[in-house]
Amino acid sequence: MKGHFISFEGPDGAGKTSVLKALVDKFQPRLGQRLLVTREPGGDPLSEQLRKLLFDDRNRGMDDRTEALLFAAARRQHVVSVLEPALAAGKVVFSDRYVDSSVAYQGGGRQLGEQAVWDINAFATQGVMPELTIYLDVPSEVGIQRILQKRQNQVNRLDREALSFHHRVRKAYLRLLAQDPSRIQKIDATQPFDKVIADAGDVLRQFDPAIFG
Ligand code: TMP
């Protein structure tokens, strides 16, 4: 049985986590233990500790390159301890974010350069890449508005960045989409929630009808 690695991406406020939850509810009965849901930064104990460091408000002074390296370090540990064993065991892995997030947020948002961020992540991932990426697209203004309305108690250090930062993040995502249109499938996340889920289901069905059909 071949494993599948599918990542979910999007700017803050795209509704990615709710979409992922709905898709898990939809496919879990069929896939059972074969479905593994994980997230970045995080997914294993060491990476979850790095997540805490990355989002801790006490670390407001964190240097941008330090931030990029910590995301890459968390990713490395996640690859080795979660993703590779799961894929080797034939699991279907849904990851809430992966390397595209670093390219968009650190490369684009923080302006470290998309290629520089790819380079440190090539060291971290050793070529482990999703076969399919579902990208939930939302204009920055809409995304930020949603965060402020819905998640007031859980806004993180990155959510609080200026609108210009979020514009750069989205632009970088759209560049990634243009560079790799066969891997990355865009869904308009401003549509009603049920339509977003239906579109995501269609993308998954086309990707592997035997599993998601
Ligand atoms: P989320 O769990 O709500 O998706 O939040 C994760 C935050 O971390 C989000 O603002 C995007 C950010 N992030 C990066 O900046 N770089 C990365 O490599 C990853 C995985 C996430």
Side-chain angles (χ1 to χ4, degrees):
M1 216 165 32
K2 189 179 172 300
H4 285 305
F5 178 15
I6 300 163
S7 65
F8 292 79
E9 293 282 354
D12 296 288
K16 179 177 48 58
T17 305
S18 315
V19 169
L20 193 49
K21 188 179 174 308
L23 292 173
V24 171
D25 289 347
K26 190 174 161 119
F27 294 112
Q28 183 86 72
R30 193 177 317 168
L31 289 169
Q33 297 286 314
R34 199 178 164 203
L35 181 63
L36 180 86
V37 186
T38 186
R39 69 167 180 182
E40 288 206 348
D44 93 306
L46 172 53
S47 307
E48 289 290 338
Q49 287 183 53
L50 291 171
R51 180 183 179 98
K52 288 209 180 81
L53 279 177
L54 279 159
F55 297 149
D56 190 331
D57 258 339
R58 285 172 299 181
N59 295 332
R60 270 190 298 268
M62 188 182 295
D63 170 73
D64 292 347
R65 287 175 183 237
T66 305
E67 178 184 283
L69 289 163
L70 287 175
F71 275 116
R75 180 159 303 121
R76 171 66 188 163
Q77 192 63 30
H78 186 222
V79 164
V80 172
S81 71
V82 177
L83 298 177
E84 285 184 329
L87 295 170
K91 298 210 177 204
V92 174
V93 180
F94 282 178
S95 185
D96 187 341
R97 299 194 180 279
Y98 191 62
V99 64
D100 297 314
S101 285
S102 281
V103 175
Y105 282 81
Q106 281 65 54
R110 298 283 191 225
Q111 298 179 289
L112 292 178
E114 286 145 54
Q115 190 55 50
V117 173
W118 273 122
D119 290 346
I120 58 166
N121 277 280
F123 183 75
T125 61
Q126 290 191 296
V128 173
M129 280 298 283
E131 292 155 85
L132 172 69
T133 296
I134 293 185
Y135 166 60
L136 299 171
D137 186 49
V138 73
S140 311
E141 289 78 2
V142 178
I144 297 310
Q145 203 52 40
R146 284 182 180 174
I147 287 172
L148 294 178
Q149 276 168 5
K150 288 194 203 151
R151 304 193 350 207
Q152 226 135 27
N153 50 350
Q154 334 164 359
V155 174
N156 72 40
R157 202 170 62 78
L158 280 108
D159 291 335
R160 267 195 281 275
E161 286 297 328
L163 189 58
S164 55
F165 171 87
H166 293 284
H167 277 303
R168 290 195 298 273
V169 169
R170 179 166 183 241
K171 278 198 183 139
Y173 268 127
L174 295 176
R175 273 195 293 277
L176 281 165
L177 179 68
Q179 284 158 11
D180 203 348
S182 58
R183 173 176 63 91
I184 307 176
Q185 300 293 319
K186 176 176 129 177
I187 292 175
D188 176 0
T190 63
Q191 302 180 104
F193 188 69
D194 289 350
K195 175 76 168 81
V196 174
I197 302 304
D199 285 2
D202 287 345
V203 168
L204 288 167
R205 203 168 308 115
Q206 271 173 26
F207 168 72
D208 192 331
I211 297 180
F212 299 109

